[in-house]
Amino acid sequence: MKMGARVVLLLLAAASAAPAGEVWVVGSVRRSVKVLDTQSESVIATVPLFQGPQLPEARGITFSTVDGLVGAFAFIGQGSTLQVVDSDAKTLIRSVDLEASLSVRMTIVDLESSPNRAFGGTVGPEVRAYLVVVGNAARDMGSLPEPFWAVLDQRALVESPPSVPLVAASGFLHDSTVPNSDRGQAAGVSVMGSPFGASFLRAWVSTRVPGAAETMRATLLAKGPSIDAPWRAGPSTDRVLPLGRSAPEGFSVAVPQDGEAQVFPAGATGTLVDLGHGGSCELPPANLGPVAVRGPGAGGYEIVVIDLDAEELLRVNESTCAFQRRPLGSGPIDVTVDALFEHGSAWVANRDSDSVTVVRLDGTTAEIPLGPPPAGSCLECPVSIEARLGAGRGCTTSLRLSKTLTGAALAWDAVGCTDATFSVFCQCDRRLDLDCTCACDPLETPGCFGSLPIAGQTGVEFGLAGLDGALTRQLPGLGPNPGPMPYPPEPVIQLGVNASQGHGNDGGGGGTWIGTKPP
């Protein structure tokens, strides 16, 4: 946020036709899922879960990222049970009760899939896609529930017959000497899309910690590059709220598919904090809750965050902190975006008005009812919302850069992507800088995706892409640059893929950005 300008090189997969996009909404009271079509902006299907007034309410949803099965299954929490839904057939196919594996009865609060990673094994690389689940569990009879996390193997969940999915579990996020009353409650989870240093896979677990002043906490879980490396709870980031203000019921660190932006909403302080790059955006007056990030990369991100007090969605430019407000329904509780790369639409679940608000790229909005009248009543009571995205969602990469006097070469290994091709793109991390050859601000220019292809570099085969000679760019509306732009000394490399096979929307045909890594 508010970082200096630099040129960023991006590799984007060749676009291909994709099925119409879908957004899935979990109704807690009706214990069902409503499926919305992103084109018609209407409900097209209902998926019933386990029913009955004595059964736990549903909460939390994510989609499979196993290579070849990306988006093919939805995972939904219902008490300690993980419901597995066939995304194409819109049918509940399996229920996996985690209580026996965990030896505790956990109430699932949130869950998120990881991209595929090629971990080092004893006889070679072993590719895994995990599912990180967070919730509240009691240590023993009479104990108050406290935050709990578990990591599951996705392939074990979706294969038939399923095998034991548990990989790692809790250890609890807080020290055992802390009184139960101070341990707080689980609020959300988000999985990072790129490795970083010794942490080959990372996830942020968010918790609400009580006290004279409530605290919003984000704790980092991390696993090393070996398949046998343990999952460990690492450092925490705390944001203490003003006296008398409560933390949102659900919140998490928002991360893009590609990189190190890690946006933490600090509640009633009105602050968005980037835990990855540093910096913040101050947005008073606002009570910031659920948040999501969309866009092509650093400096091109747009943050969408719910102002819980005003019941509005704030669209925030990550570089300038400029923002716009858009009205929502009653009781907004969760937000998702329908594109991994492009600046698509934002979708907000409104619990108290039984509706979903869509905020389109051009700023217009529409409220979509989830059931018949009477409007404004909580019958479905939506609590979680997630876009069903396509093949790039499961990918990860290892990127390498070699530079010469006249250009550079990029090489990478793709994991979790099948039959992908790539193109080279360029963008800048501060769009309003006129020295930037890719200047474009999505808030000011509807339809701007923040990056433009480098001439002659489309359709590059995956595995190796060469950038020969100095890069020349054309500013929108200003004609060709008078001369070549020297290759930047320290670019950030990003790789985007779009597999030809897969399920769901691939981000509007624009591909996805993944695996951001310094050279």
Side-chain angles (χ1 to χ4, degrees), residues 6-156:
R6 68 177 182 275
V7 173
V8 178
L9 291 182
L10 304 163
L11 297 183
L12 173 65
S16 64
E22 295 176 349
V23 171
W24 290 42
V25 189
V26 177
S28 60
V29 173
R30 288 280 175 89
R31 297 163 177 82
S32 65
V33 179
K34 297 288 186 180
V35 181
L36 280 64
D37 174 74
T38 60
Q39 299 299 314
S40 64
E41 297 179 353
S42 62
V43 177
I44 58 172
T46 299
V47 182
L49 304 175
F50 281 167
Q51 305 295 309
Q54 303 304 317
L55 293 175
E57 294 185 352
R59 184 175 176 183
I61 180 172
T62 191
F63 291 91
S64 59
T65 50
V66 177
D67 191 16
L69 297 173
V70 177
F73 299 94
F75 304 118
I76 300 158
Q78 190 173 5
S80 64
T81 301
L82 192 65
Q83 310 291 10
V84 183
V85 173
D86 184 314
S87 301
D88 290 327
K90 310 291 189 291
T91 303
L92 177 64
I93 61 170
R94 184 173 301 131
S95 297
V96 180
D97 196 337
L98 302 181
E99 182 176 3
S101 298
L102 300 175
S103 299
V104 295
R105 187 164 187 82
M106 178 171 69
T107 299
I108 296 173
V109 169
D110 196 14
L111 58 164
E112 184 162 335
S113 300
S114 80
N116 290 272
R117 286 279 193 277
F119 293 91
T122 55
V123 293
E126 297 187 34
V127 177
R128 294 288 189 276
Y130 292 113
L131 180 68
V132 184
V133 181
V134 298
N136 297 308
R139 188 185 296 269
D140 47 45
M141 292 297 293
S143 298
L144 294 175
E146 58 181 302
F148 193 89
W149 58 268
V151 178
L152 311 176
D153 187 322
Q154 284 190 51
R155 190 168 292 279

Side-chain angles (χ1 to χ4, degrees), residues 216-235:
M216 298 172 66
R217 174 173 293 165
T219 303
L220 190 65
L221 298 180
K223 176 180 173 62
S226 168
I227 191 67
D228 297 325
W231 285 83
R232 299 187 185 279

Side-chain angles (χ1 to χ4, degrees), residues 89-451:
K90 310 291 189 291
T91 303
L92 177 64
I93 61 170
R94 184 173 301 131
S95 297
V96 180
D97 196 337
L98 302 181
E99 182 176 3
S101 298
L102 300 175
S103 299
V104 295
R105 187 164 187 82
M106 178 171 69
T107 299
I108 296 173
V109 169
D110 196 14
L111 58 164
E112 184 162 335
S113 300
S114 80
N116 290 272
R117 286 279 193 277
F119 293 91
T122 55
V123 293
E126 297 187 34
V127 177
R128 294 288 189 276
Y130 292 113
L131 180 68
V132 184
V133 181
V134 298
N136 297 308
R139 188 185 296 269
D140 47 45
M141 292 297 293
S143 298
L144 294 175
E146 58 181 302
F148 193 89
W149 58 268
V151 178
L152 311 176
D153 187 322
Q154 284 190 51
R155 190 168 292 279
L157 289 169
V158 302
E159 66 185 1
S160 187
S163 56
V164 177
L166 184 63
V167 173
S170 184
F172 294 89
L173 290 172
H174 303 288
D175 192 285
S176 60
T177 61
V178 176
N180 282 346
S181 59
D182 291 336
R183 295 179 186 273
Q185 296 178 322
V189 62
S190 54
V191 180
M192 294 292 294
S194 57
F196 187 81
S199 298
F200 203 52
L201 190 57
R202 296 166 292 159
W204 284 104
V205 174
S206 303
T207 53
R208 305 167 58 201
V209 183
E214 281 201 11
T215 297
M216 298 172 66
R217 174 173 293 165
T219 303
L220 190 65
L221 298 180
K223 176 180 173 62
S226 168
I227 191 67
D228 297 325
W231 285 83
R232 299 187 185 279
S236 294
T237 295
D238 286 358
R239 289 285 159 169
V240 179
L241 301 182
L243 287 173
R245 298 308 301 261
S246 298
E249 179 181 355
F251 65 92
S252 60
V253 178
V255 297
Q257 177 72 12
D258 64 319
E260 294 303 307
Q262 300 159 59
V263 181
F264 186 48
T269 65
T271 303
L272 292 170
V273 183
D274 190 333
L275 303 181
H277 298 125
S280 63
C281 285
E282 309 294 332
L283 304 172
N287 180 19
L288 304 180
V291 60
V293 179
R294 60 186 176 186
Y301 293 129
E302 181 180 295
I303 304 166
V304 290
V305 58
I306 296 175
D307 182 342
L308 297 168
D309 289 348
E311 296 187 330
E312 294 177 327
L313 186 74
L314 305 185
R315 301 174 60 202
V316 184
N317 182 301
E318 164 247 358
S319 294
T320 66
C321 295
F323 65 93
Q324 301 171 346
R325 292 181 176 269
R326 293 294 181 266
L328 301 173
S330 179
I333 194 170
D334 197 15
V335 61
T336 189
V337 293
D338 64 8
L340 293 177
F341 156 62
E342 295 179 343
H343 292 278
S345 298
W347 302 75
V348 179
N350 304 307
R351 179 182 173 89
D352 297 337
S353 57
D354 257 359
S355 65
V356 169
T357 300
V358 54
V359 180
R360 309 180 187 98
L361 180 60
D362 63 6
T364 60
T365 66
E367 189 165 353
I368 306 165
L370 295 179
S377 58
C378 177
L379 298 177
E380 300 286 343
C381 300
V383 290
S384 305
I385 188 167
E386 185 79 2
R388 181 187 177 196
L389 297 171
R393 180 71 177 82
C395 294
T396 188
T397 56
S398 175
L399 296 166
R400 300 173 298 280
L401 168 68
S402 58
K403 292 183 287 187
T404 68
L405 293 177
T406 60
L410 310 177
W412 63 92
D413 300 315
V415 176
C417 332
T418 305
D419 299 330
T421 57
F422 304 87
S423 300
V424 180
F425 277 63
C426 159
Q427 75 168 58
C428 303
D429 73 350
R430 194 174 65 193
R431 302 309 176 66
L432 302 182
D433 187 341
L434 292 181
D435 293 332
C436 172
T437 58
C438 312
C440 175
D441 181 6
L443 287 180
E444 299 293 333
T445 310
C448 163
F449 299 142
S451 62

